[in-house]
């Protein structure tokens, strides 16, 4: 169950994820051009040290590359827990042709019905650990779509007689997306980049440079060869594991559905 509570309305929001046993704070962010210029100047002047430290602690990118923005105008969402960076999620905009109650639970739509008579028109959404959140403009906060319930359920009207219409099907596809578990598989280049920036291999690189200055070329070459083999072995095993997990979670089959009074296979 997801519990949300507002904090700094419009800019930040706190939520409790009961299933994950964690509390998170989400902040609206936008890219800062001036901050990006300053960040890369620091990277060049520090010979890449700032970039390496930022890949470990995510501090400089948060301070310089991003600037605070309202949740309704944010390009990305900064997710933190206990004051520590967790992830940076991209906000996507999905066209939505429907009323407010078609996208949000009645407890939200009824409360803000007078402020959103014509419906949202589009949905701003982001996903965190397979939890999907939609932005409710009137309350200036993100609402978990898992709380949504079909209004006809509360009215006691069964939709199993004729099924969903094509319009309702498109609406709910916009809200919930496809019914599938899509585990992102990182590329070899991304895995290698993350592995090389590991503190251990940074230490190994520094050792190679120091031993080379001391004319211990054979020792430096040995360290380089061992590190390269270790990185390659880790990349292959990690990629193989990720591929197996993706194949195990991905399952597709044809199902019969009732749409607009007709049975069909999808």
């Amino acid at each position: 169950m997801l519990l949300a509570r507002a904090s700094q309305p419009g800019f930040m929001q706190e939520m409790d994820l009961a299933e994950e046993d964690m509390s998170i704070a989400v902040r609206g962010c936008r890219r800062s051009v001036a901050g990006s210029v300053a960040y890369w100047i620091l990277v060049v002047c520090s010979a890449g040290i700032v970039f390496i430290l930022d890949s470990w602690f995510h501090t400089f990118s948060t301070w310089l590359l991003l600037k605070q923005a309202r949740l309704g105008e944010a390009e990305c969402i900064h997710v933190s827990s206990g004051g520590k960076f967790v992830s940076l999620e991209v906000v996507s905009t999905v066209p939505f042709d429907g009323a407010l109650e078609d996208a949000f639970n009645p407890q939200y739509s009824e409360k803000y019905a007078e402020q959103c008579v014509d419906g949202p028109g589009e949905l701003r959404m982001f996903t965190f650990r397979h939890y999907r959140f939609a932005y409710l403009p009137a309350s200036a906060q993100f609402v978990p779509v898992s709380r949504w319930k079909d209004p006809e359920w509360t009215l006691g009207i069964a939709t199993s007689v004729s099924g969903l219409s094509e319009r309702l099907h498109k609406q709910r596809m916009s809200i919930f997306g496809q019914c599938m578990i899509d585990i992102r598989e990182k590329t070899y280049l991304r895995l290698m980049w993350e592995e090389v920036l590991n503190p251990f291999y940074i230490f190994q690189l520094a050792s190679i440079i120091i031993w080379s200055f001391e004319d211990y070329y054979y020792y430096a070459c040995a360290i380089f060869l061992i590190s390269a083999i270790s990185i390659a072995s880790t990349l292959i095993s990690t990629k193989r594991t990720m591929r197996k997990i993706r194949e195990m979670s991905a399952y597709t089959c044809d199902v019969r559905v009732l749409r607009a009074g007709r049975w069909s296979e999808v």
Side-chain angles (χ1 to χ4, degrees), residues 210-247:
I210 292 174
W211 289 119
S212 297
F213 277 119
E214 296 294 330
D215 295 333
Y216 284 93
Y217 299 112
Y218 291 107
Y219 190 54
C221 290
I223 295 176
F224 174 79
L225 183 61
I226 293 172
S227 298
I229 294 174
S230 176
I231 291 175
S233 176
T234 302
L235 289 181
I236 293 173
S237 61
T238 303
K239 186 71 172 179
R240 188 178 301 165
T241 302
M242 293 179 66
R243 189 168 297 167
K244 286 183 178 180
I245 294 175
R246 183 181 177 87
E247 292 174 354

Side-chain angles (χ1 to χ4, degrees), residues 37-75:
V37 174
Y39 174 79
W40 288 110
I41 290 176
L42 287 175
V43 170
V44 173
C45 293
S46 64
I49 295 178
V50 169
F51 183 81
I52 294 173
L53 293 176
D54 183 60
S55 67
W56 296 344
F57 305 108
H58 302 282
T59 52
F60 293 100
S61 59
T62 302
W63 295 339
L64 297 176
L65 296 181
L66 302 175
K67 61 180 180 180
Q68 188 173 0
R70 292 185 177 276
L71 294 173
E73 302 172 353
E75 297 176 353

